[in-house]
Amino acid sequence: MLSNKSLSVWLSAVVITVMLSGCSSWVYRINVPQGNFLEQSDVDKLRVNMTREQVLFVLGSPIAKDAFNDQTWHYAYVFNIDRESEQRKSLTVHFDGDKLTKITGDFDEPESFNIPLDQ
């Protein structure tokens, strides 16, 4: 059986651990951006009928490609996760074969989107 001294040491350690775990909100957490950071100026460069290679050049590699539909690429960005100032943006790029057909998400469709590059 444990002596009173060792029992009090264990009990003190448990109490201190529980009390310190309550201070975890004071610990500094670094802001780490997650995903593909895109701006509206990047999306404004997209045009209908662009090839996949051209879209990769403009936007970079997508964060996710649909496993069941290779005609859709997803670009997502999260900053300040679980904070009041959290920022989330997403863009989905849709293809028909090798040609860009439409974009959806949190960005505005460019005015010149429906004008192909070769015109």
Side-chain angles (χ1 to χ4, degrees):
M1 182 157 186
L2 295 173
S3 68
N4 284 342
K5 186 175 181 180
S6 63
L7 183 60
S8 64
V9 169
W10 278 103
L11 186 58
S12 297
V14 169
V15 169
I16 289 171
T17 303
V18 169
M19 291 177 71
L20 287 176
S21 69
C23 299
S24 64
S25 64
W26 298 348
V27 175
Y28 175 74
R29 292 180 296 166
I30 191 167
N31 296 327
V32 179
Q34 303 287 319
N36 302 91
F37 179 73
L38 297 176
E39 293 182 340
Q40 184 64 45
S41 60
D42 299 323
V43 177
D44 289 344
K45 297 173 186 172
L46 296 176
R47 300 282 184 90
V48 71
N49 291 336
M50 286 178 85
T51 65
R52 291 174 187 260
E53 185 176 316
Q54 290 171 322
V55 173
L56 279 174
F57 181 77
V58 172
L59 300 180
S61 297
I63 193 80
K65 294 181 182 178
D66 195 331
F68 300 104
N69 179 7
D70 66 344
Q71 303 298 312
T72 305
W73 290 355
H74 301 279
Y75 293 85
Y77 175 77
V78 182
F79 185 66
N80 285 342
I81 297 173
D82 295 332
R83 296 188 183 176
E84 291 178 16
S85 61
E86 179 178 279
Q87 299 174 6
R88 290 182 178 268
K89 292 268 189 169
S90 68
L91 176 72
T92 304
V93 179
H94 304 272
F95 294 95
D96 183 13
D98 189 43
K99 301 293 182 179
L100 177 63
T101 56
K102 72 176 184 175
I103 58 172
T104 57
D106 297 326
F107 294 92
D108 296 327
E109 184 176 288
E111 292 180 17
S112 59
F113 179 76
N114 291 316
I115 302 170
L117 285 174
D118 55 353
Q119 288 187 359

